[in-house]
Amino acid sequence: MDFSFATDWLQHLQTEQVLSFFEELNLGELIYNPWFLGGLALFALITIYLRRYALLASILALVGFASLIDYTLQQGTAVENIMSETLLVFVGGGLILIFAVIYLLFVRND
């Protein structure tokens, strides 16, 4: 039995290839794609129906932080003072996302 197809397929999982894939993937553009957002919404509804809250938490964390970083970069990263609106939105949004993930993973019991 020839397993050369398996070794060829496993070549795509090398660290350099995975990193180059993530460099080519632009989440800033992807979060504005309606097909991507619709697919994620459908996937989130399926995870809620199947009660897979760890998967839902990971979807929420990835998309939420990508959206938060994109918003922050659009507003500008210069911080003039400690009460900068961009800084407060970034920190507050991050805290809300972290608390939501902690709730979905550890607090919620069914």
Side-chain angles (χ1 to χ4, degrees):
M1 186 170 219
D2 186 23
F3 289 106
S4 63
F5 70 93
T7 57
D8 291 338
W9 186 79
L10 289 175
Q11 293 296 327
H12 296 292
L13 297 178
Q14 288 181 346
T15 305
E16 296 85 20
Q17 301 230 351
V18 171
L19 289 176
S20 68
F21 172 76
F22 282 128
E23 287 174 357
E24 293 172 6
L25 185 67
N26 190 356
L27 281 178
E29 293 176 6
L30 200 57
I31 60 172
Y32 293 113
N33 186 345
W35 289 102
F36 177 73
L37 293 176
L40 276 180
L42 180 66
F43 192 62
L45 289 174
I46 291 171
T47 58
I48 290 171
Y49 177 72
L50 296 176
R51 297 178 186 213
R52 305 285 188 227
Y53 295 113
L55 197 54
L56 180 65
S58 63
I59 292 170
L60 176 70
L62 289 174
V63 174
F65 278 119
S67 301
L68 192 60
I69 288 172
D70 185 60
Y71 171 79
T72 304
L73 291 176
Q74 285 181 1
Q75 297 297 320
T77 57
V79 177
E80 293 86 25
N81 57 15
I82 195 70
M83 297 301 287
S84 173
E85 180 184 340
T86 307
L87 181 64
L88 291 176
V89 168
F90 183 74
V91 171
L95 285 174
I96 290 170
L97 285 171
I98 289 171
F99 287 134
V101 168
I102 289 172
Y103 173 75
L104 286 172
L105 290 179
F106 301 113
V107 177
R108 182 177 176 102
N109 290 325
D110 284 333

